[in-house]
Amino acid sequence: MPEIIRQGDVRRPTEVPRISERYSIDPIEATWFPPKDSRFSNKPKRAGVQLIDLSVAGAQIVGPFNRSVAVGMRVPFELGGEKGIVEVRNIRDIDGLGHYGVTFYKISERLEQAVFAAVGKRRNDDRLASDWRRND
């Protein structure tokens, strides 16, 4: 039986099983509001990011690396005019770009429906492709 993940659990994702499968997508422009990357101010700063992977539970966000973002932090998020909050699950700095694995903590109903539709479409595309290969 899988272990229950506690709210404050900050272990790396390799130690905690994924809640749902993540699918690569064409990058989608979004905005989030992490704290300023400064020791003098913690005020949120608007930052453009891209979603590059998506699941029904979360996403992988790529944007400017920000030292003030920490695992477990909840960050306001906006996609297509719809607002929500994501929780940071892991962070990687790759050549100055931050790769943030996030879960959807609180999102609007319309954004939730859009995410489910996008994942459903991608999942069906993958299944069709695998079914096609099996019939060869």
Side-chain angles (χ1 to χ4, degrees):
M1 181 169 167
E3 178 184 349
I4 294 175
I5 302 171
R6 290 188 270 316
Q7 190 80 13
D9 196 342
V10 295
R11 293 177 291 174
R12 304 289 300 171
T14 55
E15 299 173 36
V16 180
R18 278 202 190 285
I19 296 169
S20 63
E21 188 172 346
R22 195 186 284 167
Y23 297 92
S24 293
I25 58 171
D26 291 331
I28 299 172
E29 299 292 324
T31 304
W32 74 340
F33 302 85
K36 281 187 180 176
D37 191 3
S38 166
R39 59 187 175 139
F40 302 111
S41 174
N42 212 16
K43 186 177 179 183
K45 178 185 175 189
R46 179 183 195 94
V49 293
Q50 292 186 329
L51 274 68
I52 61 169
D53 288 339
L54 187 65
S55 78
V56 293
Q60 182 176 1
I61 295 175
V62 176
F65 183 73
N66 183 327
R67 289 183 299 260
S68 296
V69 175
V71 171
M73 179 179 281
R74 293 186 184 140
V75 180
F77 175 80
E78 212 173 276
L79 178 63
E82 294 296 321
K83 297 181 181 189
I85 298 173
V86 295
E87 184 173 312
V88 179
R89 297 289 290 157
N90 65 72
I91 303 168
R92 288 175 285 151
D93 179 1
I94 301 175
D95 299 325
L97 278 179
H99 290 250
Y100 304 93
V102 300
T103 56
F104 297 121
Y105 178 73
K106 182 179 181 183
I107 59 175
S108 70
E109 188 174 327
R110 286 183 60 182
L111 184 51
E112 181 180 324
Q113 290 170 353
V115 167
F116 274 58
V119 170
K121 183 178 185 298
R122 179 69 180 156
R123 184 180 294 150
N124 288 338
D125 288 349
D126 285 349
R127 287 189 182 145
L128 288 173
S130 65
D131 289 345
W132 183 264
R133 281 192 297 273
R134 269 189 294 215
N135 293 330
D136 286 345

